[in-house]
Amino acid sequence: MDIRIANSTTLSISFPYDADLVAAVKKLPGARWNSDRRCWTVPAAHAQAVIAFGAKHDAHIDPAIDLLIAAQAQAVAASTATDAPAADAAPLELPASIADALRPYQRAGITYLLEHRRAMQADEMGLGKTLQALAACEAAGGYPALVLAPASLLRNWGNEAGRWLPHRKVQIITKGKTAVDPAAEIVIVSYDVAKGHDGVKSASWATVIADESHALKSGKSARGKALAPVVSGAKNRWLLSGTPLKNRPADLIEPLRMLGHLDSLG
């Protein structure tokens, strides 16, 4: 029996036909037979039940499912947080304009980034990953900061930086011939421009924020080869993505390597 992640929302269970196993797998919540792939599928929300099922039947279980379960636990913790901050929570050193606007889960996200310094923020779209990353950068004094993002999001990052951190000098680079302004505290640039920009690649960044960071999932691409050292050279490395696992568990390998979490594995 083989249990693995089929996609970001589904687990797959494969095994040679056995009537007893079929009867057992049918008892899993949401279990469905996929005739195209010749396997059973179960919603990823029931990963714990699938793991228990697999352990009982001596299955080979994809280790990446543990990451999925951890992400689910974090999401549950965030969704059940109350509006009141914990009594023993350390206050965040932030401008009042930011501090007064934060929701509890955003405070928790900022605290997580500050505590880990090399982390992935995987909140869903619309929950304020941009604000959390900018606030964490401000609280850490993490300047100069580089923001890598798809070209379509550069203006949004510029607007958000101007809104929340109006006292910081922001530069948006849209062309490879534009030099990095040495006075800029936040430099915003697209992945495609950054990969060929000598100034961006040679500068020393205290913080690198990579938005839609699944863009860096391939270490063999020109983008990955050029920008992995840029991300890895920063003290604060924050990868933002609502879909960190786009297709396969292997998509997490390069982002985790850039964060330094695979260093001990060689």
Side-chain angles (χ1 to χ4, degrees), residues 194-207:
K195 72 181 181 183
H197 197 293
D198 291 338
V200 168
K201 292 188 291 182
S202 63
S204 295
W205 305 104
T207 300

Side-chain angles (χ1 to χ4, degrees), residues 120-121 148 150 191 210-217 238-244 255 258:
M120 183 174 291
Q121 167 54 282
L148 298 169
Y191 288 106
D211 194 13
E212 302 293 340
S213 61
H214 47 266
L216 297 173
K217 67 182 181 181
W238 295 326
L239 308 186
L240 317 182
S241 176
T243 52
M258 291 179 196

Side-chain angles (χ1 to χ4, degrees), residues 112-124:
Y112 177 83
L113 294 176
L114 292 172
E115 287 178 347
H116 294 277
R117 301 289 176 164
R118 298 175 296 162
M120 183 174 291
Q121 167 54 282
D123 281 354
E124 293 183 4

